Amino acid sequence: SSGMGALLGIAGSASVAADDLVLVATQLPASTSVLFLMADELRRTVFMDGLLCIGGPTSKIFRLPPALSSGSEGTAMLGPGLVALSNDPLVPVPGGIQSGDTWYFQTFFRDGSPCGSGGNTSNVVGVTFTP
């Protein structure tokens, strides 16, 4: 409904020790609900008005709390602190994010377009974490 596809990017580093990675979703519809998701595998499945490109037959999809709003600018950010968050009991990632792991991130957002099913996804960003 914004006229552009949502775009997920990153800022900061992939260092586990620094834990300063930030997920940045832009080009979202204004003031909509946004969820950040992570999984350790890729896939391509039609999902609502987009594609769910994370998770696979042997992989769970983890939702990173909290649910956020895109605000009037159509932007949402999560982080820093993703490594610590992955070890939180609310996000039961087995073993959390470790150095050498590759994790894939994607956003899901509510989209009130009258032509769709009410939700869409962004692109995927893959991150291989370092010490």
Side-chain angles (χ1 to χ4, degrees):
S1 63
S2 70
M4 300 176 280
L7 183 60
L8 180 62
I10 58 172
S13 73
S15 167
V16 168
D19 198 9
D20 64 350
L21 188 71
V22 177
L23 301 173
V24 182
T26 59
Q27 300 179 183
L28 298 162
S31 302
T32 194
S33 298
V34 180
L35 299 175
F36 287 88
L37 310 172
M38 67 183 271
D40 61 356
E41 291 183 26
L42 292 171
R43 72 169 163 185
R44 183 179 170 97
T45 303
V46 173
F47 179 73
M48 305 217 54
D49 294 333
L51 294 172
L52 184 62
C53 298
I54 63 171
T58 62
S59 174
K60 288 185 177 181
I61 297 173
F62 299 96
R63 183 183 66 83
L64 299 171
L68 300 171
S69 172
S70 63
S72 62
E73 299 295 318
T75 300
M77 294 185 284
L78 183 66
L82 297 177
V83 173
L85 184 60
S86 74
N87 289 298
D88 187 293
L90 295 174
V91 186
V93 177
I97 294 173
Q98 302 291 322
S99 177
D101 289 351
T102 299
W103 286 95
Y104 302 97
F105 300 92
Q106 188 169 24
T107 57
F108 166 76
F109 57 95
R110 302 303 271 157
D111 191 351
S113 170
C115 299
S117 63
N120 210 331
T121 56
S122 69
N123 62 303
V124 171
V125 173
V127 178
T128 299
F129 286 86
T130 62

